[in-house]
Amino acid sequence: MKGRNLFVDTLRRHGDLPAIITDTGSKLSYSELADQVDAFAHDLGSRRQLLIIETLNEVSPLIAYLGAMRARHPVILVAPGATAKDTNILDTFAPYAIYRQNSINQQDSTGQQDNSDQHGYISNWTLELNPEHREVALHPDLSVLLSTSGTTGSAKLVRLSQSNIDSNARSIAQYLELDTHQKAITTLPFHYSFGMSVINSHLAVGATVLLTEHSVSQQAFWAFFRQAEATSLYGVPYTFELMERMGFRDKLFPSLQYIAQAGGRLSTDIITHYLGWAEQQQKRLFVMYGQTEASPRMAYVPPEQLQQNRDCIGIPIPGGSFKLIDQQGEEIGGPEQSGELVYQGPNVMMGYATCPQDLAKGKDVKLLHTGDLASRNSAGLYRIVGRMSRFCKLFGLRISLDEVELFLQQSGFTTVVVGNDSALLIATLQKKSTPAIVEALTSRYQLGSSVFIVREMEEYPLLPSGKVDNRTLLSLLEPGKQTNAPTRYGNLFEAYSTIFGNKDIREEDSFLSLGGDSLCYVATSVAIEDYLTFLPDNWEAMTVGQLESYSITSQQSQSHRQREPRAWLTISFIIGILLVGEIFLQARTYIKTGRNVLSLLTDESAVVFNKELQTRTYRPNLIIKDTETRQDRMVINSHGLRSPEIPLERQSNEIRYAVVGASTVAGIYAETNERTFSQLLASVLKEKYSHRPVNIINAGIEGSSLSETQQVTESIVYKLSPSAVIIYPGFNDISLLCPNEGSPKGPTETQTTDKTDTTSTRQALDYPKLPNWLMSKDMIQKNTIFLRTPKVTKINSIDPETINPTDYRDRIESLVKSIIAQGIKPVLVTVARSYINVPKEQQASLAATSLYYYHCLDLNGIIHIGELYNDQIRSVAQQYNTPFVDLAEAMPGGSQYFVDGGHFTFKGEQFVAETLNNELTSQLMER
């Protein structure tokens, strides 16, 4: 570890003091943290290489960041999943390796997954070597590279030296008076320079970092805050908006000592409110100023001076200095005169990097021209009065206006973009382009649509020089002049559609089921309160339909009913017990499926009926996130498939297959899209045929019968031009054999062959039924079936020997013929089951779920019919001479490979992918 000592080199001196505490209960002392940092540094080796680290506020990526710094390996810090979503930085700088969450967990020598470390917390992060790595010279002082544009994926990086990082961390610790008693909770990602500086400054003095990915809008954040006794809270202006919505200033936080703000201008009204709160609660408020180019902090307002200087950014941090220069480059000496703010200090960046050759450069920036216009008051504090450069900060994210213009140009729009720290204004001469522009921007930048104000104009305002008058355009962002962000909505469907940038808002949708986050929390709550005149409790979980029907009168009526006789207390108590049980079952399902529990309140949450195609698909463009890590678990493309978005036309040398079927193909138990067998197969093929593009389309839709699978294939898959369609038929059609009575779901299709049967036209009224989303009875029956011997009586049993498999064969044959008629090669795969290829004594327990759904069959019955149906698959494959994979014969049974009767574990998904790869390479004759 050559060179000057950095804070990361002195971690061990703090001994047993707590360094890291996570919201999952994991703890690391400074000695333990130093051990892990040193181990990671040792594994990297002494030869300096460029790395990319995807960040989350978790232990593993933090250790990777500190370990790389300890070993003096330069790192590019990026958002989680950034290297997969936008390869701009990856392609430009071609790093040696990428540290990110691994979509395929490592296994130990016994074949079992092993991704827990010695402290007991789970780590699925790995260092992946980059096959496209290019050797490049690295300057010995280079330490960290950060994007200049927040989350935009810009390949223009800020080069920060070891001295930049360390000096700024120690300067921040000095003016904030940090010591070993401080506990800072994470509110910002550390690929964002503000978030990075919070971690650096606290570890530099032996303080404690409380790691969480929860947002300040979530109760889990504040529960952890109180439990861990956090002493400080950091935020950008938007954080304060969220805190105001939750009534932060009305609550008590005894451990909190100060709040610190940066990342954009905080309104003087908010500052006034929080100054009053701070005085009342005996807390402190720090208002700060910085840029990534300064590692990042440059100024702060001493708390005791904030009351008289609420519109100021303050004084330079220890070791730094400011000066103001006029348009001629001369320094301005007097007070209250505006000029460009220029900063000097040891934390000023080395320079920018736009190509690999820049990484070898030394420090070529001494003075940091901030691009901000500022003045200095008589007390010596600086105030920002305007901005010279083409950047703005939205929600603390630095956005390049030039990049926005370029992105829109590439998307087919000619625009002029201006902005401030509240919104962007996009001026265009293209008529009726507003919806498309807003949709493109919300999709690209993942911000609420209300921050993008589009003005369609007859002509741009011009200066005498003929250039566009940006100041006139910027004035259109003043209150009252914003046109496509109405303050009132006609209904909540319109409000949700605008805020979420989703045209397909349904009655059963809720803020949570739509993946609502902190960026749209305020806008949604304001829209609801404006529409209803009040904000209902737990509105986040309420559906749009419920909110629409909610009124003040119903609220008053509810209040009146609460005063009814005590009998209601007894009823409420009973309902409460049922609700507790229901919550447990919903949580259990979430653990198994990864779906947000509230999104399961309706069957239509993820799967919807496409009226145009007349079949069921997943909801187009749906993203279901892990509620803990906020990582994408299930991502649906614009076609309604759990599959990557790809062009309709196949390239001449491209390997493009589709896999069709039901829930097993969709991979309903797979933690991410990448962990389904279709995408695992894509990964294997990409490695094998690195010279060719590879795309595998996952066209599995849960619950689909073979007829529905054919509809999806003909309506969607053919448009995507695959060269082969892999058919995994599944056994959902077995449910057609069982009568409705006794079945929790009933068959997906029903037909009456005897037209003379009058019972079909005269039926007794059904008993009242519970909502179809209520899982209590259903789940108790299903999950206790193994406690009792399956009983199939003569009344409702079916003799499997009497079943004619012709219908099943006809449906498979129909699909195969349809595919062949399109000039596409069909591939048939037999259906594997957990209770086949295992000892006989294990079959009953492994078949429990299947026995529940196919209630008219006993164990021997479902085994027999499964073989009967697989024989039909084999027969059709032989008749049409199609490529064929006998997965039912090849795949082991048991719980290692199956979650239940037919759905795969991750090990099962891996087995299927490998089997398909081995079998199809020769049959499809890929070269």
Side-chain angles (χ1 to χ4, degrees), residues 513-645:
S513 70
L514 289 169
D517 56 24
S518 61
L519 294 180
C520 50
Y521 180 92
V522 172
T524 309
S525 61
V526 168
I528 294 171
E529 187 169 5
D530 182 63
Y531 181 72
L532 297 178
T533 72
F534 69 98
L535 189 65
D537 291 337
N538 198 32
W539 64 266
E540 305 95 325
M542 297 176 69
T543 67
V544 180
Q546 289 172 331
L547 288 169
E548 276 284 346
S549 63
Y550 218 112
S551 67
I552 295 177
T553 54
S554 67
Q555 187 185 43
Q556 291 171 343
S557 175
Q558 182 181 5
S559 176
H560 173 73
R561 287 196 301 271
Q562 289 175 351
R563 297 192 293 270
E564 291 291 323
R566 290 186 179 181
W568 286 106
L569 294 177
T570 304
I571 296 172
S572 299
F573 177 73
I574 295 171
I575 293 173
I577 293 175
L578 293 174
L579 284 174
V580 170
E582 183 66 23
I583 290 170
F584 168 77
L585 293 173
Q586 296 282 359
R588 180 184 184 278
T589 298
Y590 165 69
I591 291 170
K592 292 182 74 176
T593 66
R595 291 189 187 169
N596 187 303
V597 175
L598 290 169
S599 74
L600 295 173
L601 288 177
T602 167
D603 289 337
E604 298 299 312
S605 297
V607 178
V608 296
F609 184 78
N610 189 311
K611 294 181 180 179
E612 181 181 351
L613 303 179
Q614 286 299 299
T615 190
R616 296 178 316 114
T617 67
Y618 287 111
R619 179 191 294 276
N621 302 312
L622 173 71
I623 299 178
I624 297 176
K625 291 181 178 290
D626 187 298
T627 57
E628 294 296 325
T629 66
R630 304 306 300 159
Q631 294 299 288
D632 296 346
R633 297 194 64 132
M634 191 173 190
V635 180
I636 308 303
N637 66 18
S638 61
H639 302 287
L641 305 179
R642 188 184 187 183
S643 193
E645 200 75 60

Side-chain angles (χ1 to χ4, degrees), residues 235-493:
V236 297
Y238 193 65
T239 310
F240 286 79
E241 290 190 48
L242 296 176
M243 290 161 58
E244 284 297 283
R245 298 301 298 177
M246 60 161 282
F248 172 85
R249 289 182 288 115
D250 298 327
K251 304 178 188 296
L252 295 177
F253 298 94
S255 63
L256 180 62
Q257 297 175 13
Y258 69 87
I259 298 178
Q261 177 271 329
R265 186 196 297 266
L266 190 62
S267 74
T268 54
D269 287 342
I270 293 291
I271 291 175
T272 300
H273 291 323
Y274 277 82
L275 277 173
W277 165 85
E279 182 177 0
Q280 182 184 22
Q281 299 286 334
Q282 296 185 324
K283 317 290 187 186
R284 293 189 297 168
L285 174 64
F286 287 90
V287 172
M288 309 183 296
Y289 167 79
Q291 291 181 358
T292 301
E293 288 85 345
S295 313
R297 195 66 55 241
M298 288 185 280
Y300 74 103
V301 182
E304 64 276 9
Q305 299 184 45
L306 186 54
Q307 184 69 54
Q308 290 75 36
N309 299 279
R310 287 171 294 170
D311 58 347
C312 292
I313 61 167
I315 60 176
I317 64 173
S321 64
F322 282 132
K323 65 180 178 180
L324 300 172
I325 60 172
D326 60 22
Q327 293 182 346
Q328 287 71 44
E330 299 296 327
E331 184 171 354
I332 298 172
E336 305 301 343
Q337 299 180 54
S338 64
E340 184 182 7
L341 186 65
V342 178
Y343 176 81
Q344 183 174 8
N347 52 315
V348 172
M349 66 174 177
M350 301 173 71
Y352 293 110
T354 58
C355 64
Q357 291 70 31
D358 290 339
L359 304 181
K361 293 180 179 179
K363 186 176 179 67
D364 49 31
V365 178
K366 182 179 180 181
L367 299 176
L368 178 58
H369 290 256
T370 65
D372 286 326
L373 292 172
S375 64
R376 182 175 53 247
N377 65 21
S378 57
L381 279 74
Y382 290 81
R383 177 191 303 110
I384 301 296
V385 298
R387 179 165 280 142
M388 298 175 62
S389 57
R390 294 272 295 157
F391 288 91
C392 66
K393 283 191 175 181
L394 294 175
F395 309 110
L397 303 175
R398 194 173 182 213
I399 304 293
S400 167
L401 303 179
D402 292 329
E403 277 192 17
V404 176
E405 283 186 4
L406 178 61
F407 166 71
L408 289 173
Q409 181 182 354
Q410 293 170 341
S411 302
F413 304 103
T414 302
T415 62
V416 176
V417 179
V418 297
N420 56 29
D421 289 352
S422 300
L424 296 186
L425 184 132
I426 300 94
T428 180
L429 305 182
Q430 294 171 255
K431 301 302 181 185
K432 299 181 180 180
S433 60
T434 296
I437 290 175
V438 172
E439 184 176 354
L441 291 173
T442 53
S443 176
R444 166 65 169 160
Y445 293 100
Q446 297 295 302
L447 297 174
S449 60
S450 60
V451 303
F452 301 112
I453 312 302
V454 180
R455 287 294 299 267
E456 297 177 11
M457 314 181 83
E458 294 298 329
E459 58 183 22
Y460 298 128
L462 300 178
L463 296 169
S465 63
K467 295 182 179 179
V468 175
D469 186 351
N470 286 337
R471 290 195 177 186
T472 298
L473 290 177
L474 194 57
S475 70
L476 299 177
L477 284 176
E478 295 173 5
K481 296 185 179 180
Q482 300 178 12
T483 57
N484 70 310
T487 56
R488 290 190 65 91
Y489 296 95
N491 55 62
L492 291 181
F493 292 94

Side-chain angles (χ1 to χ4, degrees), residues 90 113 127 155 443 456 594 762 868:
L90 184 64
Q113 293 180 0
L127 187 69
S443 176
E456 297 177 11
R762 192 170 62 242
L868 194 63

